[in-house]
Every structure is written in C-alpha cells, then in structure tokens.
Amino acid sequence: MIDKEIYKAIFATAPDAVIVVDSAGKIVKANDRVQQLFGYDKQELINQPVECLIPERYAGTHHKFRDQYMENAKVREMGIGKELVAKRKDGSEFYVEISLSPMKAGEEHYTSAAIRDVSEKVVMQKQLKSSMEALANKNKELEQFAYVASHDLQSPLNTILSLVALMRREHKGEMNKNENHYLQLISQTAGRMSSLIKDLLDYSRVGREEERMQTTDCNRVVADVLKDLDASIHESQAVIEVGSLPVIQASATELRRLFQNLIANALKFRKPKVTPHVTIGVKSANGDWQFHVTDNGIGIEDRYKEKIFMIFERLHPSREYDGTGIGLAVCQKIVQSHGGKIWVESKVGEGSTFYFTIPG
Ligand code: ADP
C-alpha cells in the first residue's frame, strides 16, 4: 500500500512532465507538470492522441516513429541529435528533451514519456554557436587582411630599398656626410620595416596549410634547428642538452619554426659574460606532450609573462637585442592551432622555461 502511495507521489511531483501513452498513441495519464508546461488541464488530455502535443508539421511523421518504437520498445532518449519541438495548448512552441520507457500493465503495452523544457539551453547554445561562427569569420577576415596587407606592402618597400641602393651607387663620392647618413637611415628603417612585414606575413601563414599534420620525429626537428643555429651556438659557446623526444602528429614545418624561435630566444636573451645553457625536454602530462625549453638567461618579469606572446610586444629596444617581437606570437599561434597551450615560467636574472603542450 505504501509503495503505491510512493509511486503515485513520484509521478505527481516529478520535475519533468510525464505522460503515459497506450499502444494506439492515446494519452492515458498525465502529471501536474504537464499542466504547467503545456497549458492543458490534465483531464483534457486523457484519451487525446499524443500528437496534440506536437506541432502539426511533425505530427504526421510522429505516427511512424511511434509505431517503430512500439516494435522495439526500450528505455531511451527520443530523437538523439535532433531538436525536438513541442506545442502548448495556445499553439506556441518550445524545445524539449524526451526520455521514453516502455511499460506493461495487464495485457496492454504503454509508453511513458518524461518531457523536459530545454528552450533556454537550446537558445543559449544557438547564440553561442552563432557568436562562435561570427568570431571565426572575423578572425579569418583579419588573417586574410594581415596576409594581403603584408604581401602588398612588401613590394613598394623593396622599390624604396632598391632606389636608395641605386642613389648611393650612382652618387657615390658626390654626397656630403649628412646626405650619406640620411640615406643610410632610410635604408636601415626600410630594412626593419621589411623584416616586420616579412614576420607578419609568416605569422598570418601559420595554420593555412591544409593536410599539414604528419608523423613528425621531434628529435629530427630539433637536430635540424640546432644545425641552423650552429653559428650563434658556436659564437656564444652555448651548452645545449636535448632529452629524448617523441614522434608526434604535427606540422613538421611549424614545429620546426616553434623550436627555432624558442631556442633562438634562449640564446639571444642570455646574460652577458655567462655561458648560455639550454635544455630541451619533454614529459607526458594528462595525455598531452609537455615540452620545455629552459635557459639561464636574463629572465622575464612576472608582469610581462603574458604580454610577450602578443604580436610586436618586445621588452627591449632593437639596438639591445635584435628582433621584431613576432617570434612568440608565432609560437603561440602554432601551439594553439595544434590544440595545445604555451606559457613561461621565469625568474629575472636566473633564466626562463618556456613550456608548450601538444595533444598526445
Ligand atoms: P623578439 O625575440 O623578436 O623580440 P619574441 O616574440 O620572440 O620577439 O619575444 C618577445 C619578447 O619576449 C622579447 O623581446 C624578450 O623581451 C622576451 N623573451 C622572449 N624569450 C625570452 C627568453 N628566453 N628570455 C628572456 N626574455 C625573453
């Protein structure tokens, strides 16, 4: 007896609207939430076809799905992956999630359906999806702009550089000290602008290659990078230690640029009169590969640890340390386009460790 009371109470007070439908699709029972959700009086619904709770445009196909369900009735979600819509008594519509379960009472087969209003969730998901699409489009536009602008700026700049070279050649010996100096300044500044534009072009190219993921041996990538940096390693007498690195799925070209930028920075931002010591290694962390490039260089103040990854952000004038301030922005773009993260830990005067992850 108590059991019966409990079941009744569960049905009556369930947070979901619950209806019980017979094998012919007629509603035989409905709880209080049905009344609140659909605006019908509970009694009004009894003996009505369940299709009265569905917008007319779906009611026709619902018969078919109902028959199919009866043939293979089991507990399941209805319309997985689809947006289900229900209709109130006043004709207004709302999004729902529905769980179905078959029941048998005596000889008759029934289906109980627990219906939950998920309109708010669906509307929010739609808003989120459209904002994300808008953001992705804007990003694409911006990248396209950076690409076209840097590409188109390069050629007039090359003309300036060649004209300056021509003037210096043709008027050699005719110009006074000041004129010579001005021309030298023009070519230096144009040269710097050309490097900035070239780096911007490189930055906007990251991630453009399609089918770029390939099986990549990081040992090989780092060995190639060290060969490229041979001159500055030699000149600084740096000690470089490389641990055993994995073979991963990545863009080999981008991975090479990533290591190149990090190791080049580790050598560049060294302390005066101290032999640079750089270690490169990896560990596995939560299913990702976590790489690190550690140096014993000048270090980075806490307040700049995020800023340095932004485009054109530099902490030193180019006369002190040469560069354009794009290297780490490129690194971040490469890592993010592989689904990873990049960050730095550092102590001023002691050195820095740049970490990045690549999904394993
Ligand atoms: P660039 O090297 O062309 O200046 P990056 O984007 O590679 O540009 O680096 C941005 C800034 O971050 C650098 O100017 C420097 O101030 C700081 N930085 C990068 N790597 C290191 C490092 N290993 N040690 C100390 N500072 C660094």
Side-chain angles (χ1 to χ4, degrees):
M1 190 57 201
I2 282 206
D3 276 358
K4 215 171 163 191
E5 294 297 312
I6 289 174
Y7 290 137
K8 255 186 157 171
I10 290 176
F11 183 75
T13 60
D16 290 336
V18 183
I19 53 170
V20 180
V21 177
D22 68 12
S23 54
K26 289 232 160 59
I27 299 172
V28 295
K29 223 163 170 26
N31 71 354
D32 289 350
R33 275 294 285 154
V34 173
Q35 205 160 312
Q36 291 165 15
L37 210 56
F38 288 88
Y40 284 98
D41 193 84
K42 271 190 301 183
Q43 291 313 316
E44 259 182 280
L45 285 172
I46 305 304
N47 276 330
Q48 293 301 316
V50 65
E51 280 74 25
C52 71
L53 303 177
I54 299 168
E56 279 81 27
R57 60 186 183 284
Y58 301 123
T61 41
H62 187 261
H63 282 279
K64 207 172 71 203
F65 288 131
R66 187 157 47 75
D67 291 345
Q68 278 170 6
Y69 180 78
M70 285 316 250
E71 273 166 31
N72 181 21
K74 54 179 191 250
V75 176
R76 68 166 171 85
E77 292 286 307
M78 191 171 148
I80 294 169
K82 287 192 204 137
E83 262 166 14
L84 299 180
V85 184
K87 185 184 74 173
R88 297 190 187 89
K89 187 176 177 182
D90 63 9
S92 59
E93 297 181 3
F94 59 108
Y95 292 104
V96 285
E97 267 171 13
I98 302 177
S99 309
L100 300 175
S101 28
M103 316 183 313
K104 198 169 171 218
E107 283 311 298
E108 180 63 73
H109 290 274
Y110 298 95
T111 303
S112 93
I115 306 160
R116 180 167 296 183
D117 181 354
V118 289
S119 298
E120 256 176 55
K121 192 168 103 182
V122 173
V123 169
M124 263 167 63
Q125 274 169 348
K126 285 188 179 206
Q127 279 170 350
L128 196 69
K129 194 165 162 243
S130 83
S131 316
M132 277 170 69
E133 277 168 6
L135 201 66
N137 281 341
K138 273 273 160 283
N139 255 340
K140 243 197 193 136
E141 259 173 44
L142 259 171
E143 273 179 17
Q144 189 65 14
F145 170 76
Y147 181 76
V148 172
S150 43
H151 192 265
D152 291 358
L153 285 173
Q154 196 67 260
S155 104
L157 205 56
N158 287 341
T159 315
I160 296 176
L161 280 168
S162 349
L163 285 175
V164 172
L166 201 70
M167 268 179 91
R168 290 174 95 176
R169 208 169 47 236
E170 290 197 352
H171 298 276
K172 204 173 170 198
E174 294 169 25
M175 286 185 287
N176 66 28
K177 218 172 138 196
N178 272 351
E179 286 162 346
N180 255 322
H181 181 59
Y182 297 150
L183 277 187
Q184 195 186 348
L185 280 184
I186 294 177
S187 77
Q188 268 175 7
T189 317
R192 175 145 180 83
M193 193 162 165
S194 173
S195 328
L196 286 170
I197 290 175
K198 190 189 143 294
D199 283 357
L200 195 60
L201 194 63
D202 276 357
Y203 175 80
S204 63
R205 274 193 186 130
V206 173
R208 285 173 84 92
E209 245 181 278
E210 276 171 28
E211 317 247 338
R212 49 205 254 282
M213 295 302 193
Q214 51 189 276
T215 307
T216 306
D217 181 354
C218 297
N219 299 292
R220 184 86 207 260
V221 171
V222 171
D224 286 348
V225 168
L226 294 180
K227 224 183 273 162
D228 286 349
L229 294 172
D230 192 46
S232 72
I233 295 174
H234 204 75
E235 177 247 319
S236 61
Q237 302 193 324
V239 179
I240 315 266
E241 274 177 61
V242 187
S244 165
L245 303 177
V247 174
I248 60 173
Q249 284 302 310
S251 154
T253 336
E254 290 179 0
L255 204 65
R256 184 173 170 146
R257 198 177 316 159
L258 174 60
F259 276 112
Q260 164 98 24
N261 288 347
L262 293 179
I263 301 171
N265 276 349
L267 296 171
K268 180 162 72 172
F269 296 103
R270 60 182 183 256
K271 281 187 289 199
K273 300 195 193 94
V274 175
T275 308
H277 198 127
V278 182
T279 39
I280 301 143
V282 70
K283 69 172 189 179
S284 144
N286 305 323
D288 291 342
W289 290 110
Q290 182 181 306
F291 293 86
H292 66 90
V293 176
T294 303
D295 64 54
N296 59 341
I298 58 173
I300 299 161
E301 281 181 57
D302 269 353
R303 61 191 165 132
Y304 296 126
K305 280 182 185 161
E306 282 169 20
K307 218 172 161 191
I308 51 169
F309 292 99
M310 287 157 81
I311 209 159
F312 294 140
E313 281 296 343
R314 314 199 62 227
L315 309 180
H316 311 273
S318 52
R319 71 189 124 74
E320 244 177 78
Y321 292 96
D322 144 64
T324 56
I326 275 195
L328 287 179
V330 168
C331 291
Q332 185 173 52
K333 202 171 168 202
I334 292 174
V335 170
Q336 287 178 348
S337 76
H338 281 78
K341 280 189 305 187
I342 183 165
W343 70 98
V344 65
E345 282 172 18
S346 182
K347 265 215 167 102
V348 176
E350 287 185 22
S352 314
T353 298
F354 282 83
Y355 293 96
F356 67 89
T357 60
I358 301 279

